[in-house]
């Protein structure tokens, strides 16, 4: 019943509105408005355009310079990010200048040259000089932006330094796995056909380099040292995105990708800088990948370089934690695998590591 | 050209003798071959899809703006996609954004915009009786209709419509294991798109042929109105790029249904390693964006053409830099084919290619800037009438500038690293292409409504509609820049999982409210539109005092457009406020020899030559 009343009320209100509209229209017809060549709303629209310009520019400045509740610039935590941030703000300066000037001209002219009885527009079909100028100036400015962008881009995408920490990142629905190369600093092969529930990264244990690889539960990075992420995906495309590092690279099944960068602030330092004791870097998935896309995160911990080395040395090889997989190792390499992974050895892991180093 | 003309004129005379041989309702309004009727069919269908596409966006903005809101009241509409907790299902959320994108880009801003105005304006503005092939033209609409029906049905599938984003990147779009929408929903998406592309090609071939072959006497390319130029280049872009999407879709069909591996390789999903080896998901992205980038110009060029016409008419001034406008459209059209990989900077593309595409992409900003400057200069020292169409055109230019400038960030590969797939991108393309093209469409409807239906739309309601929409669009999309710079990823169902994205909840609510209000403001337009079709004030023959040929037809042009001979053209379309002339406009049909008082020095010779004929 209530629904019916609501429906009837809505219909009646609409009918009243239509009738009011009809009456106003007829009154205007009677006034002979239709014969006028200028819309009745001309002046008010010109005025509103001017008001919009003023209110719009005010809002733009107000909200861009602190009027928002939250800060829209994330603190920066990587070396190359300093370069791209600088480029970003230079581009911002140039575009904002053009934005403001052109909008002022657009709305300003619209207001100033609104129809006035007796006025005649200027027959001004072209001006080659003007057109050459405003083709050339954007071209020059853009050329400068291209050159600086190009320089930054080739540095960022160039070869990683030889001493870079190599870490593998694999995206899957809906989380991430990371693998470190272990003591030999060399990642073992992987093969998607070797994947199963336990060996979720498909580590190939016929490759000697894989024996000491370890898979921690978070991505740990050293501050101040180049880090090379080798990126792949297990099922669909994902994207390794970390806004504080100004870093992004897609994870593509069947096509390994890479991204290298230098973290410049530890998690601890960021906690101080942001004043948020719970701050953590997070790895974000930024390519649509299914229903859990919005929750596909992984925790990142940035340590001082020496803390990182300590942590690195403390990790246990994946093979040691899952020694069933020793069966996949070829017989002639089994002993080497035991030693590298630190399995079945009375010697402690520390000593095994030392033994490896002396090798 | 002349041969075609003569034959059509014969037909017309034949018609004339028969004195309106009655067409049946079906051949007049449904399977019509008349370009004006087909244009209206495209327009009404486009409006229908715009409502659906816009409605979808309001639903997912509810989720983004008010993540805690209970949405049980949507259950009658969305059924099982509202979960037991009263939330939108997170997978259906992706279906919503996917369908919103698909519908808006293809059905509204390609078919609804180009389909309507190319069909309506090309024959009327070049002085032709109809399109080169009325039958193909009819097919073009009905293929589009079928495509829409298929897409619409996919909403009602058990597994939901396609949900891998409007770009439908494989492997996500190829594997039903990865997302439900990649089952039957994706199949229907692909079938629908093939019909849609067939429709676009049938239309495009017609537009191009008609413009090249059927211009009336005197209508040289340098006298064509900019609308026709824009629609001409749009059709060429579509003809060259849409077939590539068919190829991409076909290979995807093979991968999905016949076990090939064009796009698939090294995939372990649902507990098994798939047999696909050697394919490349990046190949699909190249093919897709080879269409996808020209597509954004297919969307915006007609809107810019319409705007050129409207701004010039209502400023009572010639469009500034007519030739520069054509030149910049040619440049944009050409460059649009060689910038596609700027959508792929962070896909693992060879960095060298990234540099090349950055270079080419930023070049395209130059002709775009020229267009914006020319619009502004056209306003300068004009005598401007703010018709609703003019307001929407000014709004378009404002969006085109605001959204175009952020393209300079995104086209720069180094900056794209951090901005890619964030809300910054969403803000960018919704302004420069979405809203700008949408405003072009609305401007066109308001401007040519008198010619379409013989009546006027209400200017007061038009102004209200404009202001609500214009302010609304800025309130929706401008704040998204801030959210984007803060790194918020697009296509996220909710931002609750990440510490970094706990901010801006109020701003997101604000954007959602603005979006809903903007959407509901469109009902003012709908009322105005349908009311005016039947009860609007009757239009005069040339209500805007415009120069182009369509205003020389009767109030309601019949089949063949002009009752007598097709008018000849003697001048360009932009002789507004010519010094010496008694009116502030001289239609294209007025010979130079009749206007000695206003002829420019270079036109005096022409006028003499004309007079001798």
């Amino acid at each position: 019943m209530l629904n019916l009343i609501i429906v009837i009320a809505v219909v009646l209100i609409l009918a009243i509105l239509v009738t009011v509209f009809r009456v106003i229209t007829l009154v205007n017809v009677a006034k002979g408005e239709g014969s006028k060549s200028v819309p009745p709303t001309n002046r008010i629209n010109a005025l509103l355009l001017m008001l919009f310009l003023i209110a719009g520019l005010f809002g733009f400045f107000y909200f861009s310079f602190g009027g928002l509740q939250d800060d829209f610039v994330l603190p920066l935590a990587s070396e190359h990010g300093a370069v791209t941030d600088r480029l970003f703000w230079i581009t911002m300066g140039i575009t904002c200048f053009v934005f403001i000037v052109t909008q002022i001209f657009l709305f300003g002219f619209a207001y100033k040259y609104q129809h006035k009885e007796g006025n005649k527009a200027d027959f001004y079909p072209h001006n080659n000089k003007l057109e050459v100028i405003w083709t050339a100036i954007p071209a020059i400015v853009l050329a400068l932006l291209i050159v600086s962008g190009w320089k930054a881009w080739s540095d960022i995408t160039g070869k990683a330094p030889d001493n870079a920490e190599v870490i593998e990142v694999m995206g899957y629905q809906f989380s991430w796995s990371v693998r470190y190369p272990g003591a030999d600093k060399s990642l073992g092969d992987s093969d998607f056909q070797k994947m199963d529930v336990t060996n979720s990264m498909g580590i190939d244990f016929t490759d000697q380099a894989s024996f000491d690889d370890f898979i921690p539960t978070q991505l740990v990075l050293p501050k101040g040292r180049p880090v090379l992420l080798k990126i792949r995906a297990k099922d669909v495309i994902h994207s390794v995105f970390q806004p504080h590092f100004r870093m992004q690279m897609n994870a593509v099944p069947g096509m390994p990708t890479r991204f290298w960068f230098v973290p410049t602030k530890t998690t601890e330092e960021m906690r101080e800088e942001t004043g948020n004791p719970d701050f953590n870097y997070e790895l974000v998935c930024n390519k649509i990948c299914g229903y859990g896309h919005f929750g596909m995160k992984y925790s990142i911990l940035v340590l001082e370089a020496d803390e990182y080395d300590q942590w690195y040395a403390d990790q246990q090889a994946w093979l040691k934690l899952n020694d069933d997989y020793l069966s996949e190792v070829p017989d002639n390499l089994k002993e080497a695998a035991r030693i590298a992974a630190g399995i079945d050895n009375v010697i402690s892991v520390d000593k095994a590591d030392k033994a490896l180093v002396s090798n | 050209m002349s041969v075609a003309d003569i034959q059509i004129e014969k037909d017309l005379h034949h018609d004339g003798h028969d004195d309106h041989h009655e067409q049946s309702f079906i051949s007049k309004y449904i399977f019509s071959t008349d370009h004006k009727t087909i244009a209206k069919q495209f327009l009404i269908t486009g409006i229908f899809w715009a409502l659906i596409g816009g409605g979808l966006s309001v639903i997912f903005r509810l989720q983004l703006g008010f993540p805690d809101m209970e949405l049980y009241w949507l259950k009658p509409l969305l059924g099982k996609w509202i979960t037991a907790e009263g939330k939108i299902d997170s997978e259906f959320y992706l279906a919503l954004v996917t369908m919103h994108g698909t519908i808006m880009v293809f059905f509204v801003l390609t078919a609804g915009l180009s389909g309507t105005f190319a069909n309506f304006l090309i024959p009327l503005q070049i002085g032709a009786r109809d399109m080169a092939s009325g039958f193909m033209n009819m097919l073009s609409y009905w293929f589009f209709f079928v495509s829409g029906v298929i897409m619409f049905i996919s909403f009602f599938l058990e597994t939901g419509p396609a949900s891998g984003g409007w770009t439908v990147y494989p492997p996500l779009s190829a594997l039903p294991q990865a997302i439900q929408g990649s089952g039957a929903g994706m199949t229907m998406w692909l079938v629908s798109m093939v019909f849609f592309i067939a429709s676009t090609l049938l239309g495009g071939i017609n537009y191009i042929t008609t413009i090249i072959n059927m211009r009336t006497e005197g209508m040289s390319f340098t006298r064509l109105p900019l609308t026709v130029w824009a629609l001409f280049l749009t059709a060429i872009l579509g003809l060259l790029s849409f077939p590539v999407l068919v190829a991409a879709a076909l290979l995807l069909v093979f991968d999905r249904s016949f076990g090939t591996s064009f796009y698939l390789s090294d995939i372990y999903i649902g507990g098994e390693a798939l047999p696909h080896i050697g394919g490349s998901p990046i190949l699909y992205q190249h093919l897709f964006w080879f269409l996808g980038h020209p597509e954004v110009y297919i969307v915006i060029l007609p809107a810019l053409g319409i705007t050129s016409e409207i701004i010039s008419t209502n400023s009572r001034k010639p469009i500034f830099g007519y030739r520069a406008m054509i030149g910049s459209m040619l440049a944009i059209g050409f460059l649009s084919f060689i910038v596609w990989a700027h959508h792929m900077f962070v896909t693992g593309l060879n960095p060298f290619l990234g540099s090349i595409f950055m270079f080419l992409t930023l070049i395209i900003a130059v002709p775009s800037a020229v267009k914006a400057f020319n619009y502004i200069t056209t306003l300068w020292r004009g005598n401007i009438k703010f018709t609703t169409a003019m307001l929407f055109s000014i709004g378009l230019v404002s969006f085109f500038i605001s959204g175009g400038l952020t393209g300079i960030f995104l086209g720069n590969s180094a900056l794209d690293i951090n901005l890619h797939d964030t809300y910054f991108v969403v803000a960018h393309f919704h302004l420069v292409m979405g809203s700008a093209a949408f405003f072009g469409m609305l401007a066109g409807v308001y401007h040519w409504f008198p010619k379409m239906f013989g009546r006027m739309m209400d200017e007061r309601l038009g102004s209200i509609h404009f202001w609500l929409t214009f302010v609304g669009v800025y309130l929706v999309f401008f704040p998204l820049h801030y959210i984007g710079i803060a790194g918020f990823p697009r296509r996220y169902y909710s931002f609750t999982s990440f510490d970094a994205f706990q901010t801006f909840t109020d701003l997101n609510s604000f954007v959602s409210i603005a979006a809903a209000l903007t959407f509901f403001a469109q009902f003012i337009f709908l009322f105005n539109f349908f009311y005016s079709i039947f009860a609007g004030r009757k239009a005069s023959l040339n209500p805007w005092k415009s120069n182009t040929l369509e205003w020389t037809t009767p109030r309601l042009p019949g089949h063949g457009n002009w009752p007598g001979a097709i008018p000849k053209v003697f001048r360009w379309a932009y002789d507004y406020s010519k010094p010496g002339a008694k009116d502030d406009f001289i239609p294209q049909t007025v010979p130079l020899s009749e206007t000695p008082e206003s002829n420019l020095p270079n036109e005096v010779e022409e006028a003499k030559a004309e007079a001798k004929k």
Side-chain angles (χ1 to χ4, degrees):
Chain A
M1 190 59 198
L2 183 68
N3 285 348
L4 188 69
I5 294 173
I6 293 175
V7 169
I8 293 173
V10 168
V11 170
L12 283 177
I13 291 173
L14 285 178
I16 292 170
L17 285 178
V18 171
T19 317
V20 169
F21 171 72
R22 185 80 190 142
V23 169
I24 295 176
T25 314
L26 289 175
V27 167
N28 287 331
V29 170
K31 277 189 194 160
E33 206 167 66
S35 53
K36 286 181 195 156
S37 75
V38 184
T41 46
N42 221 51
R43 265 199 68 76
I44 180 89
N45 274 321
L47 206 63
L48 284 172
L49 285 169
M50 199 59 194
L51 277 178
F52 177 82
L53 173 72
I54 295 166
L57 285 180
F58 173 78
F60 170 67
F61 279 107
Y62 177 74
F63 289 110
S64 299
F65 293 96
L68 289 169
Q69 220 168 25
D70 302 299
D71 195 358
F72 57 87
V73 186
L74 290 186
L76 167 72
S78 73
E79 263 181 19
H80 76 271
V83 179
T84 53
D85 271 14
R86 201 172 58 95
L87 201 52
F88 178 86
W89 291 112
I90 291 173
T91 312
M92 185 65 88
I94 295 170
T95 49
C96 279
F97 173 76
V98 178
F99 170 71
I100 292 164
V101 170
T102 47
Q103 301 282 5
I104 288 177
F105 278 129
L106 176 68
F107 291 102
F109 285 167
Y111 176 78
K112 183 164 183 211
Y113 299 107
Q114 59 179 294
H115 176 88
K116 289 192 191 83
E117 216 45 61
N119 266 15
K120 197 168 182 190
D122 213 0
F123 187 82
Y124 189 59
H126 69 104
N127 178 336
N128 291 346
K129 197 170 149 197
L130 210 55
E131 285 170 79
V132 168
I133 290 173
W134 68 43
T135 309
I137 290 178
I140 293 166
V141 174
L142 285 167
L144 294 175
L145 288 177
I146 289 170
V147 170
S148 49
W150 199 331
K151 177 87 177 58
W153 171 251
S154 20
D155 289 346
I156 293 166
T157 57
K159 202 174 163 298
D162 291 334
N163 64 340
E165 289 289 322
V166 179
I167 305 168
E168 185 179 54
V169 179
M170 183 190 78
Y172 62 92
Q173 288 181 326
F174 295 96
S175 187
W176 304 91
S177 295
V178 294
R179 181 165 65 127
Y180 288 74
D184 64 355
K185 295 279 175 189
S186 162
L187 277 170
D189 287 344
S190 62
D191 182 349
F192 78 104
Q193 283 168 328
K194 292 209 175 349
M195 288 176 184
D196 56 41
V197 177
T198 318
N199 184 10
S200 65
M201 293 187 86
I203 305 173
D204 180 356
F205 289 106
T206 59
D207 179 12
Q208 254 181 298
S210 69
F211 300 152
D212 58 351
D213 292 0
F214 62 88
I215 301 181
T217 52
Q218 63 178 348
L219 178 60
V220 180
L221 303 172
K223 176 188 154 187
R225 222 183 265 175
V227 173
L228 170 62
L229 299 182
K230 293 194 161 182
I231 300 163
R232 64 190 166 104
K234 191 176 188 172
D235 34 41
V236 299
I237 301 178
H238 303 276
S239 188
V240 178
F241 178 46
Q242 214 304 323
H244 296 99
F245 297 142
R246 313 291 194 257
M247 178 268 278
Q248 176 162 215
M249 180 54 69
N250 285 6
V252 186
M255 194 188 87
T257 55
R258 52 178 57 211
F259 195 96
W260 77 270
F261 65 102
V262 184
T264 52
K265 287 172 192 162
T266 64
T267 302
E268 219 32 70
E269 286 169 339
M270 279 298 264
R271 284 177 182 168
E272 273 169 38
E273 184 180 328
T274 57
N276 172 12
D278 300 323
F279 175 87
N280 271 313
Y281 292 106
E282 294 156 318
L283 191 58
V284 183
C285 178
N286 198 14
K287 184 61 80 185
I288 181 172
C289 64
Y291 70 85
H293 174 49
F294 70 101
M296 184 166 162
K297 78 167 173 180
Y298 208 62
S299 146
I300 302 175
L301 178 67
V302 181
L303 297 172
E304 294 289 351
D306 51 340
E307 292 171 338
Y308 171 82
D309 287 334
Q310 186 60 45
W311 170 85
Y312 196 95
D314 289 346
Q315 300 303 304
Q316 300 205 325
W318 190 85
L319 193 56
K320 182 180 180 192
L321 300 172
N322 301 275
D323 51 11
D324 301 353
Y325 283 82
L326 263 180
S327 59
E328 287 189 8
V329 177
D331 284 342
N332 60 336
L333 294 174
K334 280 216 162 69
E335 194 49 37
R338 280 213 169 80
I339 296 169
I343 305 168
D344 272 355
N345 246 322
V346 276
I347 332 167
S348 71
V349 181
D350 278 7
K351 283 183 183 163
D353 279 351
K354 274 176 197 152
L356 260 176
V357 171
S358 64
N359 280 347
Chain B
M1 172 174 145
S2 50
V3 178
D5 262 3
I6 289 165
Q7 278 179 348
I8 289 166
E9 274 182 50
K10 265 188 201 156
D11 284 349
L12 184 92
H13 288 301
H14 172 76
D15 268 4
H17 289 302
D18 279 352
D19 222 11
H20 285 294
H21 71 106
E22 277 305 311
Q23 286 179 298
S24 67
F25 179 82
I26 288 182
S27 68
K28 197 170 175 189
Y29 293 110
I30 299 178
F31 294 106
S32 169
T33 55
D34 186 298
H35 71 100
K36 298 182 291 298
T37 308
I38 295 174
K40 290 173 202 167
Q41 290 174 327
F42 268 108
L43 178 60
I44 306 266
T45 320
I47 290 175
F48 168 79
W49 280 112
L51 280 176
I52 294 194
L56 297 180
S57 72
V58 172
I59 297 175
F60 67 68
R61 268 317 315 182
L62 275 180
Q63 163 63 29
L64 287 169
F66 307 96
D68 299 325
M69 192 191 249
E70 288 191 349
L71 299 172
Y72 291 115
W73 54 278
L74 278 172
K75 207 145 180 126
L77 186 64
L78 299 182
K80 66 162 181 153
W81 300 116
I82 298 293
T83 61
E85 295 82 47
K87 300 272 177 290
I88 295 170
D89 179 78
S90 75
E91 200 159 309
F92 188 67
Y93 171 86
L94 296 179
L96 288 174
V97 293
T98 303
M99 296 315 272
H100 168 73
T102 307
I103 288 170
M104 287 306 196
V105 170
F106 293 112
F107 291 177
V108 180
L109 297 177
T110 305
L113 178 59
S114 272
T116 304
F117 291 103
N119 273 308
F120 193 74
L121 293 180
I122 288 174
L124 283 172
Q125 289 200 330
I126 66 171
R129 298 283 182 204
D130 204 316
M131 283 287 175
S133 166
F135 180 70
M136 268 169 72
N137 210 16
M138 179 190 84
L139 276 187
S140 162
Y141 173 73
W142 286 103
F143 271 78
F144 167 50
F145 186 83
V146 170
S147 142
V149 168
I150 296 172
M151 197 64 89
F152 191 75
I153 291 174
S154 80
F155 275 102
F156 301 96
L157 292 170
E158 175 76 30
T159 49
S163 43
W166 79 278
T167 55
V168 298
Y169 282 180
L172 186 62
S173 62
L175 305 172
Q177 308 93 301
I179 192 165
Q180 280 188 60
S182 293
M186 189 62 214
T187 306
M188 293 184 82
W189 191 95
L190 289 166
V191 173
S192 166
M193 283 318 292
V194 171
F195 275 100
F196 181 81
I197 293 163
S199 150
T200 311
L201 296 184
L202 286 167
I205 292 169
N206 238 330
Y207 309 151
I208 295 170
T209 322
T210 309
I211 294 172
I212 293 178
N213 289 319
M214 295 171 64
R215 282 165 289 125
T216 183
E217 196 180 330
M219 182 62 93
S220 61
F221 268 92
T222 48
R223 283 177 182 166
L224 275 186
L226 286 171
T227 30
V228 178
W229 262 107
L231 293 164
F232 180 58
L233 294 173
T234 303
I236 294 175
L237 292 189
L239 204 58
L240 294 177
S241 63
F242 265 111
V244 179
L245 184 62
V246 182
L250 200 62
L251 299 188
L252 187 52
V253 168
F254 279 3
D255 273 9
R256 288 165 50 81
S257 308
F258 306 117
T260 55
S261 305
F262 291 105
Y263 305 134
L264 306 178
S265 184
D266 296 22
I267 293 167
Y268 181 92
I269 191 167
E272 60 167 345
L274 302 185
H276 302 280
I277 280 198
S280 165
I282 304 302
L283 169 64
Y284 174 85
Q285 297 181 19
H286 278 295
L287 292 174
F288 181 86
W289 287 114
F290 190 83
L291 154 88
H293 201 77
E295 170 65 23
V296 306
Y297 293 97
I298 290 172
V299 163
I300 194 66
L301 279 180
L304 292 175
I306 287 169
T307 301
S308 308
E309 190 63 30
I310 294 174
I311 288 191
S312 171
T313 302
N314 290 297
S315 301
R316 314 308 296 162
K317 271 187 69 188
I319 189 82
F320 183 81
Y322 173 76
R323 276 163 198 263
M325 287 302 233
I326 297 171
S328 56
M329 282 198 285
L330 284 168
I332 289 173
F334 172 72
L335 287 169
S336 73
F337 279 101
I338 46 174
V339 297
W340 79 87
H342 68 220
H343 298 270
M344 301 167 58
F345 285 140
V346 298
T347 55
L349 188 78
N350 184 325
F352 176 70
L353 269 183
S355 322
I356 300 295
F357 278 98
M358 163 170 68
F359 174 67
L360 294 166
T361 301
L362 292 190
I363 290 181
I364 212 167
V366 176
S368 308
V370 169
K371 287 195 83 76
F373 295 147
N374 283 3
Y375 288 130
I376 295 173
T377 316
T378 306
L379 296 179
W380 182 66
R381 301 178 79 169
N383 196 20
I384 304 169
K385 295 178 186 171
F386 295 107
T387 62
T388 310
M390 181 63 172
L391 290 171
F392 275 101
S393 299
I394 292 173
L396 181 152
V397 177
S398 178
F399 291 155
F400 189 65
I401 294 171
S402 306
L405 284 169
T406 49
I408 295 174
F409 294 80
L410 296 166
N412 189 330
S413 52
L415 301 182
D416 187 59
I417 295 171
N418 196 41
L419 294 172
H420 191 87
D421 270 343
T422 64
Y423 268 87
F424 195 81
V425 179
V426 177
H428 161 70
F429 71 76
H430 273 97
L431 281 177
V432 74
M433 153 198 159
S435 304
F438 184 65
F439 267 42
M441 190 167 160
L442 287 171
V445 172
Y446 278 105
H447 192 75
W448 279 288
F449 190 89
K451 199 74 269 165
M452 285 182 178
F453 300 102
R455 292 173 184 272
M456 308 295 285
M457 286 176 82
D458 187 79
E459 286 288 326
R460 279 195 178 80
L461 282 186
S463 290
I464 296 171
H465 172 224
F466 166 75
W467 280 108
L468 290 177
T469 314
F470 183 57
V471 174
V473 165
Y474 262 127
L475 291 183
V476 172
F477 297 115
F478 212 89
L480 296 188
H481 291 104
Y482 300 114
I483 299 178
I485 295 170
F488 281 51
R490 66 194 281 208
R491 292 165 177 160
Y492 260 37
Y493 170 72
S494 129
F495 295 105
T496 47
S497 308
F498 290 87
D499 293 340
F501 307 137
Q502 296 302 313
T503 49
F504 294 116
T505 46
D506 291 348
L507 195 59
N508 260 321
S509 310
F510 175 80
V511 168
S512 295
I513 294 170
L517 290 179
T518 314
F519 176 73
F520 286 110
Q522 304 317 303
F523 287 91
I524 299 175
F525 166 78
L526 282 185
F527 169 75
N528 198 354
F529 182 81
F530 287 108
Y531 179 89
S532 304
I533 288 180
F534 301 105
R537 191 159 49 79
K538 281 195 177 166
S540 56
L541 286 184
N542 190 357
W544 318 121
K545 300 202 181 349
S546 189
N547 287 342
T548 38
L549 283 183
E550 72 271 28
W551 306 106
T552 61
T553 59
R555 186 174 77 92
L556 286 169
H559 202 59
N561 296 340
W562 285 269
I566 300 180
K568 288 178 188 162
V569 164
F570 300 94
R571 57 180 76 229
W572 72 335
Y574 300 103
D575 269 346
Y576 290 106
S577 302
K578 218 173 178 187
K582 72 177 184 319
D583 286 327
D584 64 354
F585 71 113
I586 309 175
Q588 286 188 278
T589 48
V590 176
L592 288 168
S593 51
E594 286 178 16
T595 57
E597 70 280 5
S598 68
N599 287 348
L600 300 172
N602 60 327
E603 286 168 338
V604 174
E605 285 301 309
E606 254 182 88
K608 275 182 197 157
E610 236 174 45
K612 271 182 202 157
K613 272 190 200 167

